[in-house]
Amino acid sequence: MKTSPAPFHIPLSRRRLLHSLLLTTGGVITGSVYAEALTLTPRATEGPYYPDHLPLDQDNDLTMILGGKAPASGIITEFGGRLLNVDGRPIRDAAVELWQADNNGCYIHSRGAQQGKERDPGFQGYGKVETNAKGEYRFRTILPGLYTGRTLHYHIRVKQNDKSMLTTQLFIAGVPQNDRDGILRSMGTAEQRLSVIREFTPKSPGSKELAAAWDIVIGHTPEDPEQSGRGPGGPPRRRDGDQDIKDALFGPSF
Ligand SMILES: [Fe+2]
């Protein structure tokens, strides 16, 4: 009998539980058991840099701007997966938005450029995509730039019928700054935090592009705007540590 592969967001302990259930039920897992295993993606602050002016090009490839002269600088990354209800059903025709710092740690926001740094004119900064019939979404972008007080992170919002269902942040496993990031540490339960820290690995051996899989699980009710309230303001500043991050993701020879 065919069974669905375990989604990426199920921690190992849950996977073992499901595996043992498969054995004891002869491969039959009921919808309710499967639904119980899904972990809601935790909410996180929107932060101060949701774009206050949207770019003309808003597609899901942030590395190239339509009519632009040069591609974005930075390490190319791709991530994607499925948007699911907590009961495990794919959600189609929902909008998934991404906004993030460019390679210099700057956002496309009127206060989003850090002191002494300029925004990368080749980086789109914001993009969105609609989930397909299978609930799938995908982005091609860059590794976000680092700035003081935060670890590397992507900002994500899910909208259905123009209502915000989830505002969250996505993190990269192995980044040394993750352990002391106040926002990451405040997000949901330990299991929920694990669900937003994904493995970004080279697309193929020796590749300098990274890829990751991330399923997003949302509840049924729109979020209270106050729950996604703005975090502390102030311009971002760069911190040293880029080489530590590259070493962690590609190995010391990068
Ligand atoms: Fe941010």
Side-chain angles (χ1 to χ4, degrees), residues 46-49 99-101 107 147 150-151 153-155 169 183:
E46 166 186 305
Y49 300 120
W99 72 100
Q100 63 166 100
Y107 284 84
Y147 58 88
R150 292 302 317 275
T151 187
H153 61 283
Y154 294 104
H155 293 269
Q169 297 184 18
I183 288 177

Side-chain angles (χ1 to χ4, degrees), residues 96-148:
V96 182
E97 294 181 310
L98 164 67
W99 72 100
Q100 63 166 100
D102 66 18
N103 198 42
N104 299 323
C106 302
Y107 284 84
I108 52 161
H109 187 283
S110 51
R111 291 178 290 106
Q114 62 174 309
Q115 218 168 12
K117 293 284 180 183
E118 288 192 357
R119 277 205 303 110
D120 174 3
F123 183 58
Q124 197 171 293
Y126 168 94
K128 63 182 174 183
V129 64
E130 280 209 346
T131 56
N132 66 15
K134 296 176 184 171
E136 294 168 333
Y137 76 94
R138 187 154 195 86
F139 287 106
R140 182 171 170 82
T141 185
I142 60 158
L143 204 63
L146 192 62
Y147 58 88
T148 297

Side-chain angles (χ1 to χ4, degrees), residues 42-98:
R43 299 186 189 286
T45 176
E46 166 186 305
Y49 300 120
Y50 182 86
D52 54 1
H53 53 286
L54 290 172
L56 288 176
D57 187 0
Q58 301 178 11
D59 72 353
N60 62 341
D61 181 352
L62 282 67
T63 67
M64 293 289 295
I65 296 176
L66 201 62
K69 290 179 183 156
S73 40
I75 296 168
I76 301 285
T77 59
E78 289 187 8
F79 68 89
R82 292 175 303 161
L83 176 65
L84 301 170
N85 268 330
V86 71
D87 57 9
R89 293 193 182 88
I91 301 170
R92 63 187 298 169
D93 302 328
V96 182
E97 294 181 310
L98 164 67

